[in-house]
Amino acid sequence: MTDNADDFGRNMVANLYRHRGTTVESASARDAYHTLAVTIRDRLIERYARTAAAHYAANPRFVYYLSAEYLLGRQFEQNLLYTDTREQARVAASALGYPLDDLAALDAEPGLGNGGLGRLAACLLDSLATADIPAVGYGIRYDFGIFTQSFRDGAQRELPDDWSHYGTPWEFAAPDDRLEVGFYGHTEAYNGSGPRRRWVPGETVLGEPSHMLVPGWGTETVNIIRLWRAVASSDSFDLGHFSAGRYGDAVENVTHVENITRVLYPDDSTELGRELRLKQQYFLVACTLRDIVRRFRLRNEDFDHFADKVVIQLNDTHPVMAIAELMRLLVDEYALDWDRAWGITRRVFAYTCHTLLPEALETWPVSLVERLLPRHMEIVYLINHHFLADVERHFPGDHDRKRRMSLIQEEPERRVRMAHLAVVGSSAVNGVAELHSDLLSAETLRDFAQLWPERFHNVTNGVSSRRFLRIANPRLSGLLTERLGGEEWLRDLDLLADLESHADDRALQERWRDIKRRNREDLALHVKDATGVVIDPDAMCDVMIKRFHEYKRQLLKVLHIVTLYHRLRDDPAADVVPRTFVFGGKAAPGYHAAKRIIALVNGVGAAVNADPVASRRLRVAFVPNYNVTRAELIIPAADLSEQISMAGKEASGTGNMKLALNGAVTVGTLDGANIEIRDRVGDENFFLFGQDAAEAARTRRGYYDPRSFYERDPELRAAVDAIASGAFSGGDRGAFSSVVDSILYHDEYLVMADYRSYVDTQDAVDGAWRDADRWTRMSIMNTARCGFFSADRTIRDYRERVWHVDPVRVGPHHPVTAPDR
Ligand SMILES: *Cc1c(COP(=O)(O)O)cnc(C)c1O
C-alpha cells in the first residue's frame, strides 16, 4: 500500500463512491468521516491479511484473551498513528472541506467496557500486537455499553449508550460464521460408558461474530478482537401475531434472544437479571471455545497438541465457565477420556484475579447453573470430586480445608465458586500488582497457594504508552521524542529514564511547565463546554478520575475540599494554593451509596464555585461520562493524581500509572501499584499518607470508633457538620444523611482515620507547588521513572511467567495464501 498524499486522496474519493454512494460535492461530515476511516482501514486490512498468512504458515502457539470487557477508546486517532497517515488524511479531509479534527470527533468510543479491567484488556491487546505475539481477544459485542452519564440536580442520570447507532467503520461482520449456543434442557447417556454424556439443550440461540483490527505499533502485525452478538433466527419473528396486530408478541422471541448481548453487566438485583448475566457469560464462552477449536483444527489434528498451540487467559471470573465448556467439548464431543481432557484443559488456561474482596469473588447458585447449564453442572461436580480427592491426598482428614476449598459453597445456599474453578482449572494464576499478588496468596486464595505454590505469580499491570502518552499528550510526546532522539521510547519505555539527568535543566523545565499549562488550557475549554465551570489554567489541576466506589474514597477528597472551603470562608487571606479539582467517574446504577457521593461532589462543587471568596482560589469540575476519550483529555493536564483508596482494597489501579507517566505527582496510600510507583519515583517525588494495608486491616479488626476522630478534630467536625446541615443540598438535611452516617458510625473504609494525615499531606502538596522548580522536577522524575508501567513490560512478564509464547514476524510482503480469520 502506497502512502503518498495523492494516492491516499484518490483512495478516499473512490471509497466515498463505493462505501457511501455519494459524491465529493454532496458528502456530509459523517460521509467524510466514514470514508476517511475506511481509507485508513484499508491500510490495516492489508497488513492483517499478511499477518493471518504468516500465522497460518507458522502454526504458532496463540494467546486467546477472554474478557467480558474491552474499553478500547476511539480508534480513529490510533489507526492514523499506527498507519502513519495523519498528514495524508489531513490533506484529504480538507479536500472534502472538513478539518481533520472535526471528523475525528465523530468517531464513537466503543461501549464495550466499564473501567480498569476493560481498559487493561485493551492495553494488553495493543502490546501483544506490538510484540508480534499471535493473539486474539474474545469478547461480547454489546448493543449498549455501560451507560451514558449525565447529571440532573447533581445526581447521576443513566442513558443508554447507543455507541454504534451510525454503524462503525472499524467493525467487520462475519454472519457466515454464526454458530449455535444451547441453554437449559437435560443430559443423557450415550455411546458407551465413562463420563461421556450428551447435552440436549432446551433452547438454542445464534452467536454471530464480528471483528475489529488490533494493530501493533511500529510493526506489521495486526491481530483481531472477535466479538459475539446474540441474534435470533429469522423464524423467531411471529408473523401470525404481527398480522393480528399483536406487534409486541410478534417480536417477543427476537427480543428474548437478543437481550443476551444487549448491555454490559445487566442489573443483577432480580432473579431474571442474574440469569441473564450467567447466560451472557456462557454465551461468550461457548462461542469462543468453538472458535478456538475450529482455528486449532485448521492446522492440527491431534488434541494432544492443543495446549502447545493454545493458551487461554481468563480476565477475571466472568469467562471461567470456559473450563467446564472445554471439558464438555473434549469429553462429550471429541470423545477424549476424562484424564486426558483434564490434562489438556489444565495446561491451556491461565487466570488473572482482579480483586481481594472475598465478597467480590463471583459465585452462582447451583440451582441456576443446573437449570441453565445442566451438563456443565455435572462437569463441575466431577472436577470437584477429583480435586477434593487430591486435597485429601495432600491433607488427609482435613475436612475443614476441603470445605473451604471446594468448588461448591454449601452455606447458606449451595453456590458454584467461580474463582476456585478458575484456580483448579488453570496452570497459572496471577494478581495484578505485587501487594495484590502477595495478599492473594496470603489471604484470599491461601489454601490454593499452599497446595500449588508454583501456580501463583505476580504480573503488575501496565498501560499503553501509545494511547496515554503519544495520542493523549502530543505536546509532551513531541518533547520526549526530541529529547530522546527519536520515537524508540514508544516501544521501549525504559528509555524515559534518560530524562532523569536533565530534571534540573532550566530549558527543559520551562518547556515542561509550558506544556502542562497548554494542556490545562485545552482542558479548561472542554470543561467550560461540558459543565459551564470556568477554571483557571494556572491553578494546580488536582485530578480524581475513576469509578465511584466507597473503597476508592472520593469522600475523603470531598472532605478535603470542604476543609479548604472553610479555611477560606473563615479567613479570605488564608494560605491556600489555587486548585481545580477535576472529577470523573460513574457509579454502578444499583450502587446507591456511590451515587450519593456523586451528588455530594456536585453539591460541594456548586457551593464552592458560587462562593465569591472560595471561588477565587478553588473550582470544582465534575466532567460527566468519564471514559477513555475524557481520560485522554484530563490526564495530560493533571498536576496531582489522587490515588487514595483504603490500603489493601485496590488490586492495582492503572489510572495511577497513566497520570504518573504524564508527569502528575501522586498523592496516595500504600495500595495496589501505588507502592511500586513510589518505589520507582522515590519518596521525595510522591506524597504518601494514611494507614498501610496491615495497619488498616488491624484497625478494622479491632475496636474502631470513627466518631472519636470527628470529636477530636475541629476541621473534620466542621466538614462533616456542614454536609449534615444541608450546606451542600440547599438546606435539605436528609439529602446526605446516609453518607454522614456511613462514615460516623461504620466507616468501613477508614475515611475518618485517614482524614488528618490526608489533609496534612495536602498542605505539604501546597508547599511543594509554591516552589515551581521543585514541582517541575518532581513532575519530570515521575515521567522519567515510570517506564516500568508500560503494558509492553506486562506482556513480557506474561510471556515469561505464564504463556511461553514466541513472536511471529510478519514480513512486509508476505504472500497472501490462506487467510485465517
Ligand atoms: C484507566 C482507566 C480506568 C481505571 O482507573 P483506576 O484509577 O485505575 O481505577 C477506568 N476508566 C477509564 C476510562 C480508564 O481509562
Side-chain angles (χ1 to χ4, degrees), residues 71 114-116 119 468 545-547 552 626-628 631 643 650 653-656 658:
L71 203 61
N114 170 17
R119 185 54 228 176
F468 290 106
I545 44 175
K546 49 184 73 248
R547 293 296 295 227
K552 291 181 182 271
Y626 181 56
N627 58 13
V628 178
Q643 307 300 336
E650 186 76 87
T654 49
N656 47 4
K658 301 166 196 169

